[in-house]
């Protein structure tokens, strides 16, 4: 059994897969290191190996690795920046500055697409990256995602106040909003969909119609209408993690 972790600033996405066929045994999202240990320890069969990607500080990542080693008795492989992995070449001028979550999504996208691809990740930030048919990462774009847009409007506009349940209900339709929560939530989705369409235009200018579109991240379903032919891959970062940290 292999434990895989995607450690964000606020949450840890985790899953356990079988070594033989990479089938998923268990998984979830937790908000602390201790919650992760509790969830994994409750499994009928504990993992014997592990790998992780983290956008946290080096100190936080090291502390989590030490906790896992102490609790389960194995050293965790931690994804590191690289100039090239599996034929994919990092496109940043300073390759170490490319976020590891973006880098792993790029690796996973190219592996699945087997050619030119546009990968878009919709989480706290919305990110788009372009990979040419020969594996050259051409760079990408970053803008605020739904959580950041929502947070900024709530922070800087006194009359915008609503809870998460109201936000979820507001997205049952994309008609012009007839309340503040509907106007904000639907307006933010329209901005994300506009981002998607602009990335598609850029990809078409590069490659015509000969490219694959992959969507990932928690808010990917909100933008599918703007990219109906796209492939949604919720665990895309884990695909790249297995490439960056092979355990065989």
């Amino acid at each position: 059994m292999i434990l895989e972790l995607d450690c964000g600033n606020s949450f840890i996405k985790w899953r356990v897969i079988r070594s033989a066929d990479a089938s998923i045994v268990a998984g979830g999202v937790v908000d602390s290191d201790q919650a992760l240990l509790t969830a994994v320890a409750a499994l009928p069969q504990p993992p014997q190996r592990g790998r992780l990607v983290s956008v946290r500080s080096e100190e936080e990542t090291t502390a989590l690795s030490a906790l896992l080693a102490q609790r389960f008795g194995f050293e965790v492989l931690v994804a590191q920046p690289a100039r090239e992995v599996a034929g994919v070449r990092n496109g940043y001028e300073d390759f170490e500055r490319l976020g590891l979550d973006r880098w792993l999504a790029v690796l996973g996208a190219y592996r699945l697409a087997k050619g030119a691809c546009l990968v878009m990740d919709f989480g706290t930030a919305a990110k788009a990256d372009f990979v040419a048919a020969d594996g050259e990462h051409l760079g990408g774009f970053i803008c605020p995602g739904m959580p950041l847009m929502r947070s900024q409007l709530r922070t800087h506009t006194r009359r915008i106040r609503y809870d998460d349940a109201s936000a979820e209900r507001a997205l049952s339709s994309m008609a012009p909003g007839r309340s503040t929560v509907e106007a904000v939530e639907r307006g933010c989705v329209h901005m994300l969909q506009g981002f998607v369409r602009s990335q598609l235009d850029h990809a078409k200018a590069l490659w015509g119609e000969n490219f694959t579109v992959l969507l990932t991240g928690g808010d990917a379903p909100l933008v599918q209408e703007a990219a109906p032919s796209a492939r949604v891959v919720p665990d895309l970062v884990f695909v790249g993690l297995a490439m960056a940290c092979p355990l065989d």
Side-chain angles (χ1 to χ4, degrees):
M1 297 290 188
I2 298 173
L3 174 65
E4 298 184 322
L5 306 176
D6 179 2
C7 304
N9 291 306
S10 302
F11 299 98
I12 301 172
K13 184 177 182 180
W14 68 275
R15 71 179 191 179
V16 173
I17 62 173
R18 290 189 174 88
S19 304
D21 58 5
S23 59
I24 300 171
V25 175
V29 178
V30 293
D31 59 4
S32 70
D33 293 356
Q34 289 302 322
L36 172 69
L37 294 179
T38 300
V40 176
L43 297 175
Q45 184 177 349
Q48 293 84 40
R49 296 181 292 173
R51 53 193 169 210
L52 69 80
V53 56
S54 175
V55 298
R56 298 175 168 189
S57 69
E58 184 175 348
E59 292 75 16
E60 291 173 308
T61 303
T62 299
L64 175 57
S65 298
L67 282 174
L68 291 167
Q70 180 181 12
R71 186 66 175 271
F72 301 110
F74 59 81
E75 296 296 324
V76 180
L77 288 182
V78 180
Q80 301 294 331
R83 290 189 184 277
E84 182 173 345
V85 172
V88 183
R89 297 177 296 284
N90 193 314
Y92 261 30
E93 294 176 358
D94 180 355
F95 75 93
E96 294 183 339
R97 301 291 294 175
L98 177 62
L100 280 170
D101 53 343
R102 281 178 67 196
W103 174 233
L104 297 188
V106 162
L107 293 178
Y110 188 72
R111 167 68 60 85
L112 296 178
K114 298 180 174 61
C117 58
L118 164 62
V119 53
M120 291 179 279
D121 185 346
F122 294 93
T124 303
K127 296 163 282 189
D129 283 282
F130 300 80
V131 189
D134 64 355
E136 183 72 24
H137 172 229
L138 305 179
F141 300 97
I142 303 174
C143 73
M146 281 291 287
L148 283 178
M149 287 192 284
R150 183 186 294 125
S151 173
Q152 286 300 301
L153 284 168
R154 287 176 173 175
T155 300
H156 296 289
T157 308
R158 291 184 181 180
R159 290 183 179 273
I160 295 180
R161 294 290 184 272
Y162 55 83
D163 57 27
D164 292 340
S166 298
E168 186 174 347
R169 287 194 298 271
L171 294 177
S172 62
S173 165
M174 288 305 294
R178 297 175 65 87
S179 66
T180 298
V181 61
E182 290 178 353
V184 169
E185 290 297 310
R186 296 172 191 179
C188 290
V189 171
H190 277 300
M191 289 194 72
L192 286 186
Q193 291 180 343
F195 176 78
V196 169
R197 293 185 178 102
S198 70
Q199 305 313 303
L200 291 171
D201 288 343
H202 192 88
K204 288 175 182 177
L206 287 170
W207 305 309
E209 299 294 332
N210 191 25
F211 65 95
T212 301
V213 182
L214 298 101
L215 304 178
T216 191
D219 287 327
L222 296 179
V223 302
Q224 280 186 270
E225 178 184 325
S229 64
R231 178 177 176 183
V232 179
V233 187
D235 291 335
L236 186 59
V237 167
F238 286 140
V239 177
L241 179 61
M243 297 166 66
C245 298
L247 288 168
D248 295 330

